[in-house]
Amino acid sequence: MNKTELVEKIAAGAGISKVDAKKALDATVAAIKDALVAGDKIALVGFGTFSINERPAREGINPATKQKIKIAAKKVAKFKAGAELADAIN
């Protein structure tokens, strides 16, 4: 499902226009992004939790040259599905 299809589903489920559904989706995504950038954790009960995970610097191997390279530390977004979502999938 892409963003357009998701907007259509939201509009149909909430009984609102596609324009309003797109605005709501964009605002939700922006709020989640802003919270993660600020280092906050977002917990949506029954759906899941968005958080930031820090990966330490490490050594890797360039597959083309087989030389060792240094991979810098970085932060990555992480999502852990909640119990209700996990049960619905399985």
Side-chain angles (χ1 to χ4, degrees), residues 2-90:
N2 62 28
K3 185 175 179 179
T4 304
E5 294 167 340
L6 182 57
V7 166
E8 289 173 5
K9 285 270 192 183
I10 292 169
I16 58 176
S17 71
K18 289 181 187 177
V19 172
D20 289 339
K22 184 179 183 312
K23 286 179 187 176
L25 178 60
D26 289 343
T28 302
V29 170
I32 291 171
K33 180 178 138 188
D34 292 344
L36 289 175
V37 168
D40 294 337
K41 183 194 251 187
I42 300 99
L44 303 173
V45 177
F47 183 71
T49 304
F50 295 92
S51 61
I52 293 292
N53 217 12
E54 292 190 30
R55 291 193 180 160
R58 59 191 166 93
E59 261 192 15
I61 297 175
N62 181 336
T65 63
K66 306 296 184 208
Q67 291 180 333
K68 288 187 179 183
I69 57 172
K70 289 188 178 185
I71 301 171
K74 68 178 182 175
K75 294 179 182 178
V76 293
K78 178 180 161 189
F79 175 75
K80 183 175 189 291
E84 288 179 34
L85 178 60
D87 289 344
I89 293 171
N90 294 319

